Amino acid sequence: AQKVTQAQTEISVVEKEDVTLDCVYETRDTTYYLFWYKQPPSGELVFLIRRNSFDEQNEISGRYSWNFQKSTSSFNFTITASQVVDSAVYFCVFSGGSNYKLTFGKGTLLTVNP
Amino acid sequence: GAVVSQHPSWVICKSGTSVKIECRSLDFQATTMFWYRQFPKQSLMLMATSNEGSKATYEQGVEKDKFLINHASLTLSTLTVTSAHPEDSSFYICSARQGASPQYFGPGTRLTVL
């Protein structure tokens, strides 16, 4: 069975600090996807990124960057120069198997203080 | 693109009544829709998966007679919480997917049962 571990339950930073959210997954699947979703206080889940298991290239999108390393089964997410609007719960999500159901991590609550 | 709506966004009902929540994919045809439940400060828990025109597949521990799911068209799925009780109070989130695309989530429905 798949498992996603987000060891950091809560992180608090001051605006403009860089912050990295950790994600480690377990699976026996050879083909799978990994996602990050953001859930602001409003509750709506916002899709941030999807990576497939064959693409370990790191990705940068503005202040967001993702580091995918199959060797350590990790898919970490870094926010550079954090802003108050980044405050939210961030979920790392695994999708694999024949039906590609999503397995959510427990989430990391990020609070960015002014 | 890839917008999913839910209606209502929040509902308060009396114990023993039934509540229907709608999930619509607005700009794509959703071959598969998913229903999740989220308790405060917890992660999302998959309740069921539904494919258009087929019976929903429920996760272990989810009462199919309690949570009726209908996926009558490629753009609409409904979740009916029958004979609701206070313990059914939760945040219900749907998601929709077309083929192998990422799941796109609705804004969620907050149900409070008095």
Side-chain angles (χ1 to χ4, degrees), chain B residues 20-21 23 33-36 46-51 54-59 62-72 76-82 92-93:
Chain B
K20 180 184 284 188
I21 302 170
C23 176
M33 286 185 164
F34 304 82
W35 287 95
Y36 295 85
L46 179 64
M47 299 175 67
T49 303
S50 73
N51 294 297
S54 302
K55 286 186 178 180
T57 301
Y58 290 80
E59 294 300 299
V62 178
E63 300 175 61
K64 57 182 69 175
D65 294 332
K66 174 78 169 172
F67 300 99
L68 301 179
I69 292 172
N70 184 282
H71 190 167
L76 173 65
S77 176
T78 60
L79 166 68
T80 302
V81 183
T82 62
Y92 293 89
I93 307 174

PDB file of all heavy atoms in Angstrom, chain B residues 20-21 23 33-36 46-51 54-59 62-72 76-82 92-93:
ATOM      1  N   LYS B  20     -28.467  16.828  -0.044  1.00  0.00           N
ATOM      2  CA  LYS B  20     -27.844  16.500  -1.336  1.00  0.00           C
ATOM      3  C   LYS B  20     -26.817  17.551  -1.691  1.00  0.00           C
ATOM      4  O   LYS B  20     -27.087  18.755  -1.633  1.00  0.00           O
ATOM      5  CB  LYS B  20     -28.891  16.411  -2.435  1.00  0.00           C
ATOM      6  CG  LYS B  20     -28.296  16.069  -3.812  1.00  0.00           C
ATOM      7  CD  LYS B  20     -29.317  16.082  -4.930  1.00  0.00           C
ATOM      8  CE  LYS B  20     -30.184  14.861  -4.912  1.00  0.00           C
ATOM      9  NZ  LYS B  20     -31.050  14.779  -6.115  1.00  0.00           N
ATOM     10  N   ILE B  21     -25.653  17.105  -2.088  1.00  0.00           N
ATOM     11  CA  ILE B  21     -24.571  18.002  -2.506  1.00  0.00           C
ATOM     12  C   ILE B  21     -24.261  17.701  -3.973  1.00  0.00           C
ATOM     13  O   ILE B  21     -24.103  16.538  -4.356  1.00  0.00           O
ATOM     14  CB  ILE B  21     -23.303  17.775  -1.656  1.00  0.00           C
ATOM     15  CG1 ILE B  21     -23.607  17.988  -0.175  1.00  0.00           C
ATOM     16  CG2 ILE B  21     -22.186  18.705  -2.108  1.00  0.00           C
ATOM     17  CD1 ILE B  21     -22.475  17.547   0.754  1.00  0.00           C
ATOM     18  N   CYS B  23     -21.893  18.223  -7.446  1.00  0.00           N
ATOM     19  CA  CYS B  23     -20.537  18.489  -7.931  1.00  0.00           C
ATOM     20  C   CYS B  23     -20.588  18.537  -9.447  1.00  0.00           C
ATOM     21  O   CYS B  23     -21.057  17.586 -10.076  1.00  0.00           O
ATOM     22  CB  CYS B  23     -19.592  17.382  -7.453  1.00  0.00           C
ATOM     23  SG  CYS B  23     -17.903  17.512  -8.083  1.00  0.00           S
ATOM     24  N   MET B  33     -15.372  10.893 -10.998  1.00  0.00           N
ATOM     25  CA  MET B  33     -15.513  11.875  -9.918  1.00  0.00           C
ATOM     26  C   MET B  33     -15.259  11.183  -8.587  1.00  0.00           C
ATOM     27  O   MET B  33     -15.532   9.984  -8.443  1.00  0.00           O
ATOM     28  CB  MET B  33     -16.882  12.529  -9.943  1.00  0.00           C
ATOM     29  CG  MET B  33     -17.039  13.550 -11.074  1.00  0.00           C
ATOM     30  SD  MET B  33     -18.631  14.414 -10.989  1.00  0.00           S
ATOM     31  CE  MET B  33     -18.313  15.797 -12.077  1.00  0.00           C
ATOM     32  N   PHE B  34     -14.749  11.929  -7.664  1.00  0.00           N
ATOM     33  CA  PHE B  34     -14.390  11.396  -6.360  1.00  0.00           C
ATOM     34  C   PHE B  34     -15.040  12.249  -5.272  1.00  0.00           C
ATOM     35  O   PHE B  34     -15.195  13.464  -5.430  1.00  0.00           O
ATOM     36  CB  PHE B  34     -12.872  11.439  -6.154  1.00  0.00           C
ATOM     37  CG  PHE B  34     -12.078  10.722  -7.217  1.00  0.00           C
ATOM     38  CD1 PHE B  34     -11.787  11.354  -8.421  1.00  0.00           C
ATOM     39  CD2 PHE B  34     -11.613   9.439  -7.017  1.00  0.00           C
ATOM     40  CE1 PHE B  34     -11.046  10.713  -9.408  1.00  0.00           C
ATOM     41  CE2 PHE B  34     -10.874   8.785  -7.994  1.00  0.00           C
ATOM     42  CZ  PHE B  34     -10.594   9.424  -9.187  1.00  0.00           C
ATOM     43  N   TRP B  35     -15.372  11.594  -4.184  1.00  0.00           N
ATOM     44  CA  TRP B  35     -15.915  12.313  -3.026  1.00  0.00           C
ATOM     45  C   TRP B  35     -15.005  12.063  -1.833  1.00  0.00           C
ATOM     46  O   TRP B  35     -14.646  10.917  -1.523  1.00  0.00           O
ATOM     47  CB  TRP B  35     -17.332  11.865  -2.710  1.00  0.00           C
ATOM     48  CG  TRP B  35     -18.327  12.387  -3.707  1.00  0.00           C
ATOM     49  CD1 TRP B  35     -18.807  11.765  -4.817  1.00  0.00           C
ATOM     50  CD2 TRP B  35     -18.945  13.685  -3.676  1.00  0.00           C
ATOM     51  NE1 TRP B  35     -19.678  12.588  -5.492  1.00  0.00           N
ATOM     52  CE2 TRP B  35     -19.792  13.766  -4.808  1.00  0.00           C
ATOM     53  CE3 TRP B  35     -18.882  14.779  -2.808  1.00  0.00           C
ATOM     54  CZ2 TRP B  35     -20.558  14.890  -5.088  1.00  0.00           C
ATOM     55  CZ3 TRP B  35     -19.642  15.892  -3.095  1.00  0.00           C
ATOM     56  CH2 TRP B  35     -20.468  15.950  -4.216  1.00  0.00           C
ATOM     57  N   TYR B  36     -14.634  13.168  -1.164  1.00  0.00           N
ATOM     58  CA  TYR B  36     -13.770  13.113  -0.008  1.00  0.00           C
ATOM     59  C   TYR B  36     -14.479  13.757   1.179  1.00  0.00           C
ATOM     60  O   TYR B  36     -15.360  14.593   1.032  1.00  0.00           O
ATOM     61  CB  TYR B  36     -12.473  13.898  -0.261  1.00  0.00           C
ATOM     62  CG  TYR B  36     -11.581  13.342  -1.343  1.00  0.00           C
ATOM     63  CD1 TYR B  36     -11.798  13.667  -2.686  1.00  0.00           C
ATOM     64  CD2 TYR B  36     -10.501  12.518  -1.036  1.00  0.00           C
ATOM     65  CE1 TYR B  36     -10.974  13.177  -3.685  1.00  0.00           C
ATOM     66  CE2 TYR B  36      -9.672  12.021  -2.032  1.00  0.00           C
ATOM     67  CZ  TYR B  36      -9.924  12.362  -3.344  1.00  0.00           C
ATOM     68  OH  TYR B  36      -9.098  11.878  -4.339  1.00  0.00           O
ATOM     69  N   LEU B  46     -10.746   9.670   1.232  1.00  0.00           N
ATOM     70  CA  LEU B  46     -11.559   9.297   0.083  1.00  0.00           C
ATOM     71  C   LEU B  46     -12.745   8.462   0.546  1.00  0.00           C
ATOM     72  O   LEU B  46     -12.584   7.488   1.283  1.00  0.00           O
ATOM     73  CB  LEU B  46     -10.726   8.501  -0.918  1.00  0.00           C
ATOM     74  CG  LEU B  46     -11.453   8.009  -2.162  1.00  0.00           C
ATOM     75  CD1 LEU B  46     -11.932   9.181  -3.011  1.00  0.00           C
ATOM     76  CD2 LEU B  46     -10.554   7.084  -2.987  1.00  0.00           C
ATOM     77  N   MET B  47     -13.930   8.868   0.115  1.00  0.00           N
ATOM     78  CA  MET B  47     -15.140   8.132   0.471  1.00  0.00           C
ATOM     79  C   MET B  47     -15.519   7.158  -0.648  1.00  0.00           C
ATOM     80  O   MET B  47     -15.846   6.007  -0.389  1.00  0.00           O
ATOM     81  CB  MET B  47     -16.296   9.088   0.705  1.00  0.00           C
ATOM     82  CG  MET B  47     -16.086  10.069   1.833  1.00  0.00           C
ATOM     83  SD  MET B  47     -17.428  11.247   1.926  1.00  0.00           S
ATOM     84  CE  MET B  47     -18.782  10.192   2.412  1.00  0.00           C
ATOM     85  N   ALA B  48     -15.508   7.664  -1.880  1.00  0.00           N
ATOM     86  CA  ALA B  48     -15.976   6.836  -2.984  1.00  0.00           C
ATOM     87  C   ALA B  48     -15.500   7.395  -4.307  1.00  0.00           C
ATOM     88  O   ALA B  48     -15.170   8.579  -4.428  1.00  0.00           O
ATOM     89  CB  ALA B  48     -17.502   6.757  -2.983  1.00  0.00           C
ATOM     90  N   THR B  49     -15.473   6.510  -5.281  1.00  0.00           N
ATOM     91  CA  THR B  49     -15.100   6.859  -6.649  1.00  0.00           C
ATOM     92  C   THR B  49     -16.276   6.536  -7.548  1.00  0.00           C
ATOM     93  O   THR B  49     -16.868   5.442  -7.431  1.00  0.00           O
ATOM     94  CB  THR B  49     -13.884   6.026  -7.103  1.00  0.00           C
ATOM     95  OG1 THR B  49     -12.808   6.247  -6.199  1.00  0.00           O
ATOM     96  CG2 THR B  49     -13.459   6.397  -8.516  1.00  0.00           C
ATOM     97  N   SER B  50     -16.626   7.446  -8.428  1.00  0.00           N
ATOM     98  CA  SER B  50     -17.742   7.138  -9.326  1.00  0.00           C
ATOM     99  C   SER B  50     -17.370   7.420 -10.769  1.00  0.00           C
ATOM    100  O   SER B  50     -16.760   8.434 -11.090  1.00  0.00           O
ATOM    101  CB  SER B  50     -18.985   7.931  -8.932  1.00  0.00           C
ATOM    102  OG  SER B  50     -18.870   9.294  -9.263  1.00  0.00           O
ATOM    103  N   ASN B  51     -17.722   6.497 -11.623  1.00  0.00           N
ATOM    104  CA  ASN B  51     -17.564   6.661 -13.061  1.00  0.00           C
ATOM    105  C   ASN B  51     -18.940   6.883 -13.660  1.00  0.00           C
ATOM    106  O   ASN B  51     -19.916   6.274 -13.219  1.00  0.00           O
ATOM    107  CB  ASN B  51     -16.907   5.425 -13.676  1.00  0.00           C
ATOM    108  CG  ASN B  51     -15.484   5.256 -13.208  1.00  0.00           C
ATOM    109  OD1 ASN B  51     -14.633   6.089 -13.465  1.00  0.00           O
ATOM    110  ND2 ASN B  51     -15.222   4.173 -12.488  1.00  0.00           N
ATOM    111  N   SER B  54     -22.005   4.362 -13.961  1.00  0.00           N
ATOM    112  CA  SER B  54     -21.748   3.151 -13.180  1.00  0.00           C
ATOM    113  C   SER B  54     -22.026   3.392 -11.706  1.00  0.00           C
ATOM    114  O   SER B  54     -22.105   4.535 -11.264  1.00  0.00           O
ATOM    115  CB  SER B  54     -20.283   2.722 -13.325  1.00  0.00           C
ATOM    116  OG  SER B  54     -19.946   2.496 -14.662  1.00  0.00           O
ATOM    117  N   LYS B  55     -22.130   2.290 -10.980  1.00  0.00           N
ATOM    118  CA  LYS B  55     -22.301   2.428  -9.531  1.00  0.00           C
ATOM    119  C   LYS B  55     -20.991   2.890  -8.916  1.00  0.00           C
ATOM    120  O   LYS B  55     -19.903   2.529  -9.376  1.00  0.00           O
ATOM    121  CB  LYS B  55     -22.694   1.083  -8.915  1.00  0.00           C
ATOM    122  CG  LYS B  55     -24.126   0.663  -9.177  1.00  0.00           C
ATOM    123  CD  LYS B  55     -24.465  -0.613  -8.414  1.00  0.00           C
ATOM    124  CE  LYS B  55     -25.911  -1.003  -8.630  1.00  0.00           C
ATOM    125  NZ  LYS B  55     -26.262  -2.252  -7.904  1.00  0.00           N
ATOM    126  N   ALA B  56     -21.119   3.642  -7.853  1.00  0.00           N
ATOM    127  CA  ALA B  56     -19.923   4.152  -7.181  1.00  0.00           C
ATOM    128  C   ALA B  56     -19.204   3.027  -6.445  1.00  0.00           C
ATOM    129  O   ALA B  56     -19.823   2.069  -5.985  1.00  0.00           O
ATOM    130  CB  ALA B  56     -20.296   5.254  -6.211  1.00  0.00           C
ATOM    131  N   THR B  57     -17.905   3.163  -6.349  1.00  0.00           N
ATOM    132  CA  THR B  57     -17.084   2.230  -5.569  1.00  0.00           C
ATOM    133  C   THR B  57     -16.731   2.905  -4.261  1.00  0.00           C
ATOM    134  O   THR B  57     -16.064   3.942  -4.256  1.00  0.00           O
ATOM    135  CB  THR B  57     -15.798   1.870  -6.336  1.00  0.00           C
ATOM    136  OG1 THR B  57     -16.147   1.291  -7.587  1.00  0.00           O
ATOM    137  CG2 THR B  57     -14.975   0.878  -5.525  1.00  0.00           C
ATOM    138  N   TYR B  58     -17.173   2.300  -3.161  1.00  0.00           N
ATOM    139  CA  TYR B  58     -16.981   2.919  -1.855  1.00  0.00           C
ATOM    140  C   TYR B  58     -15.724   2.379  -1.181  1.00  0.00           C
ATOM    141  O   TYR B  58     -15.372   1.206  -1.327  1.00  0.00           O
ATOM    142  CB  TYR B  58     -18.194   2.651  -0.958  1.00  0.00           C
ATOM    143  CG  TYR B  58     -19.432   3.390  -1.386  1.00  0.00           C
ATOM    144  CD1 TYR B  58     -20.228   2.921  -2.431  1.00  0.00           C
ATOM    145  CD2 TYR B  58     -19.800   4.571  -0.760  1.00  0.00           C
ATOM    146  CE1 TYR B  58     -21.358   3.612  -2.833  1.00  0.00           C
ATOM    147  CE2 TYR B  58     -20.936   5.274  -1.151  1.00  0.00           C
ATOM    148  CZ  TYR B  58     -21.703   4.782  -2.190  1.00  0.00           C
ATOM    149  OH  TYR B  58     -22.817   5.477  -2.593  1.00  0.00           O
ATOM    150  N   GLU B  59     -15.063   3.233  -0.433  1.00  0.00           N
ATOM    151  CA  GLU B  59     -13.906   2.813   0.348  1.00  0.00           C
ATOM    152  C   GLU B  59     -14.377   2.033   1.570  1.00  0.00           C
ATOM    153  O   GLU B  59     -15.524   2.163   2.030  1.00  0.00           O
ATOM    154  CB  GLU B  59     -13.100   4.029   0.771  1.00  0.00           C
ATOM    155  CG  GLU B  59     -12.467   4.771  -0.397  1.00  0.00           C
ATOM    156  CD  GLU B  59     -11.513   3.919  -1.192  1.00  0.00           C
ATOM    157  OE1 GLU B  59     -10.511   3.438  -0.620  1.00  0.00           O
ATOM    158  OE2 GLU B  59     -11.775   3.719  -2.407  1.00  0.00           O
ATOM    159  N   VAL B  62     -16.980   3.033   4.602  1.00  0.00           N
ATOM    160  CA  VAL B  62     -17.955   4.056   4.212  1.00  0.00           C
ATOM    161  C   VAL B  62     -19.288   3.371   3.912  1.00  0.00           C
ATOM    162  O   VAL B  62     -19.352   2.459   3.089  1.00  0.00           O
ATOM    163  CB  VAL B  62     -17.478   4.842   2.978  1.00  0.00           C
ATOM    164  CG1 VAL B  62     -18.530   5.861   2.552  1.00  0.00           C
ATOM    165  CG2 VAL B  62     -16.150   5.514   3.261  1.00  0.00           C
ATOM    166  N   GLU B  63     -20.334   3.814   4.587  1.00  0.00           N
ATOM    167  CA  GLU B  63     -21.647   3.185   4.426  1.00  0.00           C
ATOM    168  C   GLU B  63     -22.304   3.645   3.131  1.00  0.00           C
ATOM    169  O   GLU B  63     -22.687   4.814   2.995  1.00  0.00           O
ATOM    170  CB  GLU B  63     -22.538   3.560   5.599  1.00  0.00           C
ATOM    171  CG  GLU B  63     -22.026   3.128   6.969  1.00  0.00           C
ATOM    172  CD  GLU B  63     -22.934   3.669   8.072  1.00  0.00           C
ATOM    173  OE1 GLU B  63     -24.117   3.310   8.082  1.00  0.00           O
ATOM    174  OE2 GLU B  63     -22.454   4.458   8.905  1.00  0.00           O
ATOM    175  N   LYS B  64     -22.488   2.733   2.210  1.00  0.00           N
ATOM    176  CA  LYS B  64     -23.075   3.107   0.923  1.00  0.00           C
ATOM    177  C   LYS B  64     -24.544   3.493   1.038  1.00  0.00           C
ATOM    178  O   LYS B  64     -25.056   4.274   0.234  1.00  0.00           O
ATOM    179  CB  LYS B  64     -22.879   1.991  -0.092  1.00  0.00           C
ATOM    180  CG  LYS B  64     -23.432   0.652   0.284  1.00  0.00           C
ATOM    181  CD  LYS B  64     -23.132  -0.387  -0.788  1.00  0.00           C
ATOM    182  CE  LYS B  64     -21.647  -0.685  -0.832  1.00  0.00           C
ATOM    183  NZ  LYS B  64     -21.308  -1.784  -1.774  1.00  0.00           N
ATOM    184  N   ASP B  65     -25.236   2.959   2.040  1.00  0.00           N
ATOM    185  CA  ASP B  65     -26.647   3.330   2.215  1.00  0.00           C
ATOM    186  C   ASP B  65     -26.787   4.689   2.897  1.00  0.00           C
ATOM    187  O   ASP B  65     -27.842   5.311   2.845  1.00  0.00           O
ATOM    188  CB  ASP B  65     -27.370   2.266   3.048  1.00  0.00           C
ATOM    189  CG  ASP B  65     -27.438   0.938   2.323  1.00  0.00           C
ATOM    190  OD1 ASP B  65     -27.448   0.945   1.083  1.00  0.00           O
ATOM    191  OD2 ASP B  65     -27.469  -0.104   3.003  1.00  0.00           O
ATOM    192  N   LYS B  66     -25.738   5.109   3.523  1.00  0.00           N
ATOM    193  CA  LYS B  66     -25.725   6.392   4.218  1.00  0.00           C
ATOM    194  C   LYS B  66     -25.332   7.515   3.265  1.00  0.00           C
ATOM    195  O   LYS B  66     -25.893   8.598   3.296  1.00  0.00           O
ATOM    196  CB  LYS B  66     -24.704   6.315   5.354  1.00  0.00           C
ATOM    197  CG  LYS B  66     -24.444   7.594   6.088  1.00  0.00           C
ATOM    198  CD  LYS B  66     -25.550   7.849   7.050  1.00  0.00           C
ATOM    199  CE  LYS B  66     -25.195   8.975   7.973  1.00  0.00           C
ATOM    200  NZ  LYS B  66     -26.365   9.349   8.797  1.00  0.00           N
ATOM    201  N   PHE B  67     -24.362   7.228   2.430  1.00  0.00           N
ATOM    202  CA  PHE B  67     -23.834   8.217   1.498  1.00  0.00           C
ATOM    203  C   PHE B  67     -24.116   7.736   0.075  1.00  0.00           C
ATOM    204  O   PHE B  67     -23.377   6.951  -0.500  1.00  0.00           O
ATOM    205  CB  PHE B  67     -22.340   8.407   1.718  1.00  0.00           C
ATOM    206  CG  PHE B  67     -21.974   8.884   3.091  1.00  0.00           C
ATOM    207  CD1 PHE B  67     -21.519   7.997   4.068  1.00  0.00           C
ATOM    208  CD2 PHE B  67     -22.095  10.227   3.435  1.00  0.00           C
ATOM    209  CE1 PHE B  67     -21.191   8.444   5.338  1.00  0.00           C
ATOM    210  CE2 PHE B  67     -21.765  10.680   4.714  1.00  0.00           C
ATOM    211  CZ  PHE B  67     -21.317   9.786   5.664  1.00  0.00           C
ATOM    212  N   LEU B  68     -25.228   8.235  -0.469  1.00  0.00           N
ATOM    213  CA  LEU B  68     -25.652   7.804  -1.803  1.00  0.00           C
ATOM    214  C   LEU B  68     -24.990   8.682  -2.860  1.00  0.00           C
ATOM    215  O   LEU B  68     -25.083   9.905  -2.806  1.00  0.00           O
ATOM    216  CB  LEU B  68     -27.175   7.909  -1.924  1.00  0.00           C
ATOM    217  CG  LEU B  68     -27.986   7.096  -0.917  1.00  0.00           C
ATOM    218  CD1 LEU B  68     -29.476   7.308  -1.137  1.00  0.00           C
ATOM    219  CD2 LEU B  68     -27.634   5.614  -1.003  1.00  0.00           C
ATOM    220  N   ILE B  69     -24.340   8.046  -3.803  1.00  0.00           N
ATOM    221  CA  ILE B  69     -23.635   8.772  -4.850  1.00  0.00           C
ATOM    222  C   ILE B  69     -24.217   8.407  -6.203  1.00  0.00           C
ATOM    223  O   ILE B  69     -24.413   7.241  -6.519  1.00  0.00           O
ATOM    224  CB  ILE B  69     -22.131   8.462  -4.804  1.00  0.00           C
ATOM    225  CG1 ILE B  69     -21.523   9.052  -3.532  1.00  0.00           C
ATOM    226  CG2 ILE B  69     -21.425   9.020  -6.050  1.00  0.00           C
ATOM    227  CD1 ILE B  69     -20.104   8.646  -3.274  1.00  0.00           C
ATOM    228  N   ASN B  70     -24.479   9.452  -6.976  1.00  0.00           N
ATOM    229  CA  ASN B  70     -25.009   9.281  -8.315  1.00  0.00           C
ATOM    230  C   ASN B  70     -24.170  10.088  -9.296  1.00  0.00           C
ATOM    231  O   ASN B  70     -23.907  11.262  -9.061  1.00  0.00           O
ATOM    232  CB  ASN B  70     -26.476   9.749  -8.366  1.00  0.00           C
ATOM    233  CG  ASN B  70     -27.102   9.501  -9.713  1.00  0.00           C
ATOM    234  OD1 ASN B  70     -26.882  10.233 -10.666  1.00  0.00           O
ATOM    235  ND2 ASN B  70     -27.876   8.445  -9.804  1.00  0.00           N
ATOM    236  N   HIS B  71     -23.747   9.451 -10.361  1.00  0.00           N
ATOM    237  CA  HIS B  71     -22.938  10.135 -11.377  1.00  0.00           C
ATOM    238  C   HIS B  71     -23.664   9.962 -12.708  1.00  0.00           C
ATOM    239  O   HIS B  71     -23.295   9.148 -13.542  1.00  0.00           O
ATOM    240  CB  HIS B  71     -21.543   9.494 -11.415  1.00  0.00           C
ATOM    241  CG  HIS B  71     -20.537  10.250 -12.232  1.00  0.00           C
ATOM    242  ND1 HIS B  71     -19.194   9.971 -12.151  1.00  0.00           N
ATOM    243  CD2 HIS B  71     -20.667  11.250 -13.117  1.00  0.00           C
ATOM    244  CE1 HIS B  71     -18.536  10.777 -12.975  1.00  0.00           C
ATOM    245  NE2 HIS B  71     -19.419  11.548 -13.566  1.00  0.00           N
ATOM    246  N   ALA B  72     -24.715  10.761 -12.852  1.00  0.00           N
ATOM    247  CA  ALA B  72     -25.651  10.553 -13.953  1.00  0.00           C
ATOM    248  C   ALA B  72     -25.152  11.058 -15.292  1.00  0.00           C
ATOM    249  O   ALA B  72     -25.612  10.620 -16.348  1.00  0.00           O
ATOM    250  CB  ALA B  72     -26.985  11.210 -13.615  1.00  0.00           C
ATOM    251  N   LEU B  76     -21.857  15.906 -13.895  1.00  0.00           N
ATOM    252  CA  LEU B  76     -22.563  16.042 -12.621  1.00  0.00           C
ATOM    253  C   LEU B  76     -22.500  14.760 -11.794  1.00  0.00           C
ATOM    254  O   LEU B  76     -22.777  13.667 -12.286  1.00  0.00           O
ATOM    255  CB  LEU B  76     -24.030  16.403 -12.862  1.00  0.00           C
ATOM    256  CG  LEU B  76     -24.943  16.417 -11.631  1.00  0.00           C
ATOM    257  CD1 LEU B  76     -24.524  17.523 -10.665  1.00  0.00           C
ATOM    258  CD2 LEU B  76     -26.394  16.604 -12.052  1.00  0.00           C
ATOM    259  N   SER B  77     -22.123  14.932 -10.532  1.00  0.00           N
ATOM    260  CA  SER B  77     -22.220  13.856  -9.561  1.00  0.00           C
ATOM    261  C   SER B  77     -22.870  14.431  -8.313  1.00  0.00           C
ATOM    262  O   SER B  77     -22.662  15.598  -7.981  1.00  0.00           O
ATOM    263  CB  SER B  77     -20.835  13.293  -9.208  1.00  0.00           C
ATOM    264  OG  SER B  77     -20.923  12.298  -8.200  1.00  0.00           O
ATOM    265  N   THR B  78     -23.681  13.621  -7.650  1.00  0.00           N
ATOM    266  CA  THR B  78     -24.311  14.082  -6.424  1.00  0.00           C
ATOM    267  C   THR B  78     -24.014  13.123  -5.282  1.00  0.00           C
ATOM    268  O   THR B  78     -23.894  11.914  -5.477  1.00  0.00           O
ATOM    269  CB  THR B  78     -25.843  14.206  -6.580  1.00  0.00           C
ATOM    270  OG1 THR B  78     -26.382  12.919  -6.912  1.00  0.00           O
ATOM    271  CG2 THR B  78     -26.203  15.219  -7.648  1.00  0.00           C
ATOM    272  N   LEU B  79     -23.884  13.715  -4.106  1.00  0.00           N
ATOM    273  CA  LEU B  79     -23.710  12.955  -2.872  1.00  0.00           C
ATOM    274  C   LEU B  79     -24.883  13.295  -1.970  1.00  0.00           C
ATOM    275  O   LEU B  79     -25.118  14.480  -1.678  1.00  0.00           O
ATOM    276  CB  LEU B  79     -22.398  13.337  -2.178  1.00  0.00           C
ATOM    277  CG  LEU B  79     -22.226  12.874  -0.729  1.00  0.00           C
ATOM    278  CD1 LEU B  79     -22.105  11.358  -0.647  1.00  0.00           C
ATOM    279  CD2 LEU B  79     -20.986  13.530  -0.100  1.00  0.00           C
ATOM    280  N   THR B  80     -25.635  12.298  -1.570  1.00  0.00           N
ATOM    281  CA  THR B  80     -26.746  12.509  -0.650  1.00  0.00           C
ATOM    282  C   THR B  80     -26.421  11.862   0.680  1.00  0.00           C
ATOM    283  O   THR B  80     -26.181  10.652   0.737  1.00  0.00           O
ATOM    284  CB  THR B  80     -28.064  11.928  -1.213  1.00  0.00           C
ATOM    285  OG1 THR B  80     -28.356  12.538  -2.477  1.00  0.00           O
ATOM    286  CG2 THR B  80     -29.218  12.181  -0.264  1.00  0.00           C
ATOM    287  N   VAL B  81     -26.412  12.679   1.712  1.00  0.00           N
ATOM    288  CA  VAL B  81     -26.207  12.172   3.062  1.00  0.00           C
ATOM    289  C   VAL B  81     -27.597  11.898   3.618  1.00  0.00           C
ATOM    290  O   VAL B  81     -28.384  12.834   3.835  1.00  0.00           O
ATOM    291  CB  VAL B  81     -25.465  13.191   3.945  1.00  0.00           C
ATOM    292  CG1 VAL B  81     -25.207  12.603   5.330  1.00  0.00           C
ATOM    293  CG2 VAL B  81     -24.146  13.594   3.288  1.00  0.00           C
ATOM    294  N   THR B  82     -27.925  10.646   3.801  1.00  0.00           N
ATOM    295  CA  THR B  82     -29.271  10.285   4.227  1.00  0.00           C
ATOM    296  C   THR B  82     -29.358  10.220   5.746  1.00  0.00           C
ATOM    297  O   THR B  82     -28.396   9.818   6.421  1.00  0.00           O
ATOM    298  CB  THR B  82     -29.686   8.926   3.641  1.00  0.00           C
ATOM    299  OG1 THR B  82     -28.779   7.929   4.132  1.00  0.00           O
ATOM    300  CG2 THR B  82     -29.641   8.948   2.121  1.00  0.00           C
ATOM    301  N   TYR B  92     -17.122  18.316   2.959  1.00  0.00           N
ATOM    302  CA  TYR B  92     -17.169  17.342   1.873  1.00  0.00           C
ATOM    303  C   TYR B  92     -16.634  17.988   0.606  1.00  0.00           C
ATOM    304  O   TYR B  92     -17.076  19.062   0.206  1.00  0.00           O
ATOM    305  CB  TYR B  92     -18.602  16.843   1.658  1.00  0.00           C
ATOM    306  CG  TYR B  92     -19.109  16.018   2.824  1.00  0.00           C
ATOM    307  CD1 TYR B  92     -19.747  16.628   3.906  1.00  0.00           C
ATOM    308  CD2 TYR B  92     -18.933  14.632   2.858  1.00  0.00           C
ATOM    309  CE1 TYR B  92     -20.185  15.878   4.980  1.00  0.00           C
ATOM    310  CE2 TYR B  92     -19.379  13.876   3.934  1.00  0.00           C
ATOM    311  CZ  TYR B  92     -20.000  14.508   4.994  1.00  0.00           C
ATOM    312  OH  TYR B  92     -20.443  13.757   6.055  1.00  0.00           O
ATOM    313  N   ILE B  93     -15.687  17.317  -0.009  1.00  0.00           N
ATOM    314  CA  ILE B  93     -15.031  17.856  -1.195  1.00  0.00           C
ATOM    315  C   ILE B  93     -15.140  16.851  -2.330  1.00  0.00           C
ATOM    316  O   ILE B  93     -14.887  15.656  -2.137  1.00  0.00           O
ATOM    317  CB  ILE B  93     -13.540  18.137  -0.940  1.00  0.00           C
ATOM    318  CG1 ILE B  93     -13.352  19.018   0.295  1.00  0.00           C
ATOM    319  CG2 ILE B  93     -12.886  18.779  -2.150  1.00  0.00           C
ATOM    320  CD1 ILE B  93     -11.887  19.209   0.690  1.00  0.00           C
TER     321      ILE B  93
END
